[in-house]
């Protein structure tokens, strides 16, 4: 519970920091070093007249430029019509024709002649349908280039902030996915990479749809194309992410993925072959979006009711918020295409959606990491002796089955002397302590050179690799010295018999080495008994 709460708090703090930065930039932007009078918004200041000539509708927008205005004037305008021109005192200074929207629906930056002050500026649209769509709120600016750019960036700061945040977040999520995948946590990273791609596409779409890149690069066509493709392809990684996390695979999601990819192919084909405008497929894409959101929302409800999985609840909340803000954005887009308010709804909906999907993804990640940790712990316990913490007999038998061809091996067998006597005279607690002390000595001397096992009640084994006779004998001498040092503080002395066998013939198995070492250990044990008797007789 604590880990889950920490995750929620951490993500909440991160989102709050980002939103605070966005607000601070909006409140006190450092680039606003010009007077408001440097930019004139002439949307509501011009005079409009409409004239029909040969079934062609001409809409003329007239504006008298002030006498005392800057000499180096820029007219920044966005018309959603394929053909318009700009005239100054009857002279055409800009003529734009955008057949099939090949050049995108971008903003135009028109440099006016030095003598423009005090002259009559006329913008004329040419079209076959009743009304030209002009952005009413933030469409037409007149002023110096620097002032308009600064005002323009201020108006689009939301897109710059959201786009930068989601691009960075998408890269981080994909990097986390690759890191965990390299560590072999395939189940834990299931779908997180697709979520990262979805976040990246969302950032690219908002960034390119906001006109900021158009103002900087002046490459309207490429940016508009990138905006369309990122928008159309956004649902594909999202559907893949959900398919990898939901227990029931919906056939409609597979179909929808193919449809979105097909829409992208049709859009590009029509664009390259000049068959239709780039945005002709947009209504179809919006319908597919609605179908995808409804189906994903419905499946989230069904699976949450059936399985009550915590991450499904997060996905369900995210889809609910995305549905609300997405539908509001579509309503604004189709009721009034003359402004960009719809993108605000998209930004808020996508941001909240990403927030809850990340919670769901990392809840799943935490669950699998915990489960893998538990599995590792259980596997370790299955091959570990509970009393001494050394590897147990099962681990030794597993090592016997491993292929050690070509390696120089040695097997040491050790047996604690007089354990039964200690248990009978001092109790099993003292006998257990004798075993533990023996294991500590074995681990301290031999663990860096090989693998240590407790294979019986008072019997231990060590498998050593790539050591010579001399090196093994030096380790055994250190081992006996360690036992002597320990016996200074023990009430009951510790005595261990050691025998080993070194493989000189590579055909020998560990089992053969074990049998040879075991025989040598018993020979050593008998010798120790004889030496003990002789020592006792001599002392008498």
């Amino acid at each position: 519970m604590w880990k889950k709460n920490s995750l929620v708090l951490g993500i909440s703090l991160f989102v709050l920091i980002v939103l605070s930065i966005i607000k601070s930039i909006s409140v006190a932007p450092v680039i606003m070093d010009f007077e408001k009078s440097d930019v004139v918004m002439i949307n509501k200041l011009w005079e409009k007249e409409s004239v029909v000539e040969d079934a062609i509708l001409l809409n003329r927008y007239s504006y008298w430029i002030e006498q005392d205005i800057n000499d180096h004037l820029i007219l920044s305008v966005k018309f959603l019509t394929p053909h318009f021109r700009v005239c100054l005192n009857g002279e055409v200074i800009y003529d734009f024709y955008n057949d099939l929207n090949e050049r995108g629906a971008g903003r135009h930056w028109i440099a006016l002649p030095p003598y423009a002050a005090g002259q009559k500026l006329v913008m004329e649209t040419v079209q076959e349908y009743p009304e030209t769509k002009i952005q009413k709120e933030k469409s037409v600016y007149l002023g110096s280039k620097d002032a308009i750019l600064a005002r323009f960036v201020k108006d689009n700061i939301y897109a710059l902030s959201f786009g930068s945040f989601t691009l960075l977040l998408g890269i981080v999520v994909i990097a986390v996915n690759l890191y965990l995948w390299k560590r072999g946590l395939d189940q834990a990273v299931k779908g997180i990479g697709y979520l990262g791609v979805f976040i990246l596409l969302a950032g690219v779409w908002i960034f390119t749809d906001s006109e900021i890149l158009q103002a900087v690069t002046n490459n309207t066509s490429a940016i508009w194309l990138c905006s369309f493709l990122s928008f159309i392809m956004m649902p594909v990684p999202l559907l893949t992410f959900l398919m990898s996390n939901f227990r029931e695979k919906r056939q409609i999601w597979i179909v929808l993925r193919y449809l979105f990819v097909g829409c992208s192919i049709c859009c590009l084909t029509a664009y390259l072959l000049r068959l239709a405008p780039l945005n002709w497929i947009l209504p179809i894409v919006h319908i597919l979006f609605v179908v995808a959101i409804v189906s994903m929302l419905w499946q989230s409800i069904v699976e949450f009711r059936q399985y009550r999985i915590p991450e499904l609840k997060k996905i369900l909340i995210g889809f609910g918020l995305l549905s609300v803000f997405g539908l509001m954005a579509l309503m604004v887009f189709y009721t009034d295409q003359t402004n960009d308010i719809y993108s605000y709804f998209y930004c808020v909906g996508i941001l909240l959606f990403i927030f809850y999907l990340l919670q769901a993804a990392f809840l799943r990640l935490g669950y699998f990491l915990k489960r893998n940790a538990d599995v590792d712990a259980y596997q370790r316990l299955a091959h570990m002796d509970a009393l001494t913490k050394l590897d147990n007999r099962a681990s030794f038998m597993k090592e016997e089955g491993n292929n050690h061809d070509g390696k120089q091996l040695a097997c040491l067998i050790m047996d604690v002397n007089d354990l039964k006597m200690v248990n009978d005279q001092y109790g099993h607690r003292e006998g257990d302590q004798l075993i533990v002390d023996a294991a500590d000595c074995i681990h301290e001397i031999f663990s860096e050179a090989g693998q240590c096992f407790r294979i019986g009640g008072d019997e231990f084994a060590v498998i050593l690799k790539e050591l010579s006779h001399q090196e093994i004998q030096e380790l055994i001498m250190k081992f006996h010295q360690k036992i002597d040092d320990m016996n200074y503080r023990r009430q009951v002395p510790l005595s261990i018999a050691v025998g080993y066998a070194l493989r000189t013939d590579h055909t020998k198995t560990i089992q053969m080495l074990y049998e040879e070492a075991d025989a040598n250990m018993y020979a050593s044990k008998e010798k120790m008994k004889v030496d003990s008797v002789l020592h006792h007789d001599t002392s008498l």
Side-chain angles (χ1 to χ4, degrees), residues 205-225:
W205 172 63
I206 291 295
F207 207 52
T208 53
D209 191 60
S210 67
E211 304 175 357
I212 286 183
L213 289 181
Q214 296 175 12
V216 175
T217 66
N218 203 29
N219 194 338
T220 305
S221 179
I223 293 170
W224 209 46
L225 179 63

Side-chain angles (χ1 to χ4, degrees), residues 281-292:
I281 205 168
L282 200 55
I284 300 175
V285 173
H286 284 158
I287 293 173
L288 292 178
F289 259 84
V290 173
V291 173

Side-chain angles (χ1 to χ4, degrees), residues 199-464:
I199 296 172
L200 272 178
L201 289 176
V204 170
W205 172 63
I206 291 295
F207 207 52
T208 53
D209 191 60
S210 67
E211 304 175 357
I212 286 183
L213 289 181
Q214 296 175 12
V216 175
T217 66
N218 203 29
N219 194 338
T220 305
S221 179
I223 293 170
W224 209 46
L225 179 63
C226 184
S227 176
F228 261 88
L229 288 179
S230 58
F231 180 74
I232 296 173
M233 291 300 294
M234 260 197 301
V236 176
L238 178 59
L239 288 166
T240 309
F241 167 75
L242 294 176
M243 289 175 62
S244 63
N245 283 273
F246 281 18
R247 297 191 178 186
E248 297 182 13
K249 311 301 180 186
R250 303 290 293 181
Q251 190 67 29
I252 188 174
W253 292 353
I254 300 175
V255 175
L256 284 170
R257 283 197 307 178
Y258 283 114
L259 288 176
F260 280 114
V261 174
C263 286
S264 301
I265 294 173
C266 292
C267 180
L268 290 174
T269 303
Y271 174 75
L272 293 173
L273 301 179
R274 304 188 81 251
L275 300 176
L278 191 62
N279 58 343
W280 71 272
I281 205 168
L282 200 55
I284 300 175
V285 173
H286 284 158
I287 293 173
L288 292 178
F289 259 84
V290 173
V291 173
I293 291 175
V294 170
S295 66
M296 289 185 286
L297 183 61
W298 175 254
Q299 186 61 26
S300 300
I301 295 173
V302 170
E303 293 222 357
F304 179 70
R305 285 180 175 179
Q306 186 173 357
Y307 301 110
R308 298 290 176 177
I309 301 175
E311 54 261 36
L312 286 180
K313 183 179 180 180
K314 302 294 183 183
I315 294 176
L316 184 58
I317 295 174
F319 269 120
L321 293 170
L322 180 65
S323 302
V324 171
F325 284 96
L327 290 175
M328 291 172 65
L330 288 176
M331 289 174 59
V332 171
F333 181 82
Y334 282 105
T335 55
D336 184 9
Q337 295 186 19
T338 62
N339 58 63
D340 289 333
I341 297 178
Y342 72 92
S343 62
Y344 288 90
F345 290 106
Y346 273 128
C347 283
V348 175
I350 290 174
L351 186 63
L352 292 172
F353 182 59
I354 289 172
F355 172 71
Y356 280 100
L357 252 64
L358 282 176
Q359 282 196 54
F362 283 101
L363 277 175
R364 181 183 179 88
L365 174 61
Y367 165 74
F368 276 103
L369 289 177
K370 183 179 181 301
R371 194 182 74 169
N372 286 345
D374 292 341
V375 169
D376 290 341
Y378 289 139
Q379 289 180 344
R380 177 61 182 160
L381 287 174
H383 291 85
M384 183 180 70
D385 179 65
L387 180 62
T388 63
K389 310 306 179 189
L390 298 181
D391 290 338
N392 59 15
R393 186 173 186 84
S395 180
F396 180 75
M397 294 176 67
K398 180 181 178 182
E399 189 67 21
E400 280 186 322
N402 290 340
N403 185 10
H404 297 283
D405 291 344
K407 293 182 180 179
Q408 184 165 316
L409 293 176
C411 180
L412 277 72
I413 301 298
M414 289 167 274
D415 190 88
V416 178
N417 296 322
D418 303 323
L419 178 61
K420 185 177 183 305
M421 181 269 293
V422 173
N423 286 331
D424 293 341
Q425 292 187 10
Y426 299 98
H428 285 276
R429 178 172 294 183
E430 183 62 31
D432 289 344
Q433 188 60 49
L434 196 71
I435 294 295
V436 171
D437 289 345
D440 290 343
C441 293
I442 293 170
H443 182 269
E444 181 174 340
I445 301 300
F446 296 103
S447 60
E448 293 185 3
Q451 191 171 358
C452 307
F453 308 87
R454 184 190 179 197
I455 58 176
D458 57 358
E459 191 174 9
F460 297 86
V462 178
I463 295 179
L464 302 173

Side-chain angles (χ1 to χ4, degrees), residues 89-103:
N89 277 355
E91 177 188 356
V92 178
I93 61 173
Y94 187 78
D95 195 356
F96 177 77
Y97 187 71
N98 187 20
D99 186 24
L100 299 177
N101 261 341
E102 286 182 312
R103 300 169 68 178

